Amino acid sequence: MSKLILFVEPNKAKQVELGAAETTIGRAPENDIVVNQARVSRQHAVILSDGGSFTIRDLESRNGILINGTPVRAHELRHGDEIMVGDCKMRFFSTRKDFGSAETLRLLTVPGSLPELDRLRR
């Protein structure tokens, strides 16, 4: 199952499994992933699942989304993609592996090489 790793506060990260057809991201409490930061819109983005592929779409947010440093309106997520929603950093993994708390922080703060990210796909 694919997942996101995201910062929830400085020096603390969490994993979110992406199993639903839609996973909403935003500041409002009714979102699946709540990011309580000023630069995150109430309904900021949605991740859509379609039989194993995942696409993130900006919901006309004020500050947009970045994938690997590039602004996008929609993007099919690939293993290891770095996502910025407002000031919240996330990373997408297409893996069944669960990460420990120290590993989740490392995967967000230290850029991984493609061979390392490919190894984590298993």
Side-chain angles (χ1 to χ4, degrees), residues 1-121:
M1 176 157 306
S2 296
K3 61 183 68 184
L4 284 180
I5 296 176
L6 61 139
F7 275 123
V8 290
E9 56 188 66
N11 298 317
K12 186 174 181 188
K14 76 174 184 176
Q15 302 173 63
V16 177
E17 291 198 12
L18 300 173
E22 286 189 7
T23 303
T24 58
I25 303 169
R27 198 175 67 241
E30 61 269 10
N31 286 290
D32 300 306
I33 300 173
V34 177
V35 180
N36 193 13
Q37 294 181 358
R39 289 181 32 89
V40 176
S41 297
R42 292 183 56 73
Q43 286 81 34
H44 199 105
V46 63
I47 297 176
L48 304 168
S49 172
D50 182 22
S53 68
F54 293 85
T55 301
I56 188 167
R57 289 204 176 125
D58 182 29
L59 297 175
E60 299 182 20
S61 66
R62 185 173 196 171
N63 292 301
I65 55 176
L66 301 176
I67 304 294
N68 303 319
T70 303
V72 298
R73 300 297 292 160
H75 176 82
E76 185 173 342
L77 293 170
R78 291 183 292 275
H79 182 72
D81 277 348
E82 183 180 280
I83 305 162
M84 290 293 293
V85 173
D87 292 324
C88 182
K89 186 176 186 178
M90 305 177 188
R91 192 163 238 181
F92 174 79
F93 288 95
S94 56
T95 182
R96 290 184 173 94
K97 180 179 179 356
D98 284 325
F99 303 108
S101 59
E103 193 172 22
T104 58
L105 284 173
R106 184 183 62 81
L107 290 169
L108 282 169
T109 58
V110 178
S113 65
L114 285 178
E116 180 180 7
L117 293 177
D118 286 339
R119 178 183 59 78
L120 293 173
R121 186 180 298 209

